[in-house]
Amino acid sequence: LCPACPHRSAGYALRRAAGRAAFMGDIGCYALLFQKPFRVEHVTHAMGSSVGLANGIDVATDQDVVALIGDSTFFHAGIPALINAVHNKRKMTVLIMDNRITAMTGHQPHPGTEVNAVGEEVPAIDIERVVRSIGVDYVRVVDPFDHKETEKAIRDALKHDGVSVVITRRECALLTVAKIRRERGKIVPYRVNPDKCTYCRVCINVFACPAFVDTGSLVEIDPAVCFGCGACVQVCPYGAFEPQEGSLNWREQGIGV
């Protein structure tokens, strides 16, 4: 996953909130969350299959089950399976990872974007309204960079008796970075304070941003790789990640909720 990818933060919160669940994956950048340290895709199958598979897991087992699906894939093939889940009174959680674009295949628009394939302004279809119209009672929209709020929303969703949906909404990091470079001229990366880094390696072991560099005695940030999102600040238990002059924090950039 790219530096500053919102799916990394969503996967981090999901692992903390639902570590014992069965995770049904789908086709998108978030499919990379099957890898360590997240391991939140036990199955990745055909496009749009995650919600359908979760229906089956709920029938066959007593496990908590979470389906991961992106915004584009939800519009493409996820809605029928969600209707089936509500109609048949399934108990399952669907994590719709809305990064505002069809990121994995080249940033094409989809029905949730404000432009169509030829660049015309068009009405954007609101995922939350679609989900509620199907009859889902528990629906939460969160910014995945707010790790605590995302984790809480998922924990509450798992307790819900029925179909629950958590929508993690933040635009693809590549879109955000392009905007910041146009508007500010450059990305100002974060840094690691060597006086605070205890070399516990929690950041690497649970968050695994590619900007982290393990030197063998402490963790550093590669300024050529860091996108300056600041999501790492919430991960370090010792507060070693710090902004530099001109750095933006996660609340100041991108499209959140």
Side-chain angles (χ1 to χ4, degrees):
L1 294 168
C2 297
C5 177
H7 297 336
R8 174 179 291 102
S9 288
Y12 170 77
L14 179 60
R15 188 71 200 179
R16 288 171 57 89
R20 296 182 180 273
F23 300 109
M24 300 295 106
D26 221 303
I27 307 302
C29 295
Y30 48 89
L32 295 170
L33 292 172
F34 84 90
Q35 300 181 97
K36 294 179 181 179
F38 306 103
R39 289 184 169 178
V40 293
E41 288 216 8
H42 293 131
V43 177
T44 300
H45 195 49
M47 188 173 183
S49 64
S50 60
V51 184
L53 288 166
N55 274 273
I57 294 295
D58 180 60
V59 172
T61 78
D62 294 326
Q63 282 184 279
D64 288 333
V65 57
V66 179
L68 288 75
I69 190 167
D71 46 343
S72 177
T73 306
F74 175 76
F75 284 117
H76 178 75
I79 296 173
L82 185 62
I83 291 172
N84 183 71
V86 173
H87 181 66
N88 288 289
K89 299 181 179 179
R90 301 272 69 86
K91 185 184 185 309
M92 54 189 279
T93 297
V94 179
L95 191 69
I96 302 176
M97 306 170 81
D98 180 6
N99 63 358
R100 319 301 290 164
I101 203 71
T102 310
M104 191 179 198
T105 55
H107 287 168
Q108 298 88 351
H110 60 62
T113 61
E114 291 79 13
V115 296
N116 62 18
V118 295
E120 300 169 335
E121 291 188 8
V122 291
I125 308 302
D126 186 271
I127 293 175
E128 181 184 2
R129 293 178 66 182
V130 171
V131 170
R132 292 188 184 278
S133 73
I134 290 171
V136 179
D137 296 325
Y138 182 100
V139 185
R140 297 290 184 275
V141 182
V142 295
D143 184 338
F145 275 17
D146 189 337
H147 295 170
K148 289 183 179 179
E149 185 62 28
T150 303
E151 186 177 335
K152 181 180 185 303
I154 294 169
R155 290 186 187 276
D156 291 344
L158 290 170
K159 296 174 185 176
H160 181 71
D161 187 18
V163 179
S164 55
V165 172
V166 177
I167 302 169
T168 59
R169 181 171 294 157
R170 177 172 279 260
E171 71 178 1
C172 171
L174 299 181
L175 297 178
T176 302
V177 167
K179 290 178 182 177
I180 293 174
R181 283 176 172 155
R182 286 197 303 268
E183 295 171 3
R184 299 171 65 92
K186 64 179 181 179
I187 299 293
V188 180
Y190 275 60
R191 64 182 290 273
V192 174
N193 185 331
D195 296 328
K196 292 183 178 180
C197 179
T198 66
Y199 194 55
C200 66
R201 301 178 79 249
V202 166
C203 55
I204 291 174
N205 291 332
V206 303
F207 202 61
C209 178
F212 298 159
V213 179
D214 185 346
T215 69
S217 58
L218 53 79
V219 175
E220 296 180 348
I221 288 181
D222 184 342
V225 178
C226 177
F227 280 179
C229 71
C232 56
V233 171
Q234 303 169 77
V235 175
C236 178
Y238 302 101
F241 292 110
E242 297 177 346
Q244 301 187 84
E245 184 178 355
S247 296
L248 299 175
N249 64 53
W250 61 267
R251 296 184 185 277
E252 296 173 319
Q253 56 177 285
I255 297 176
V257 176

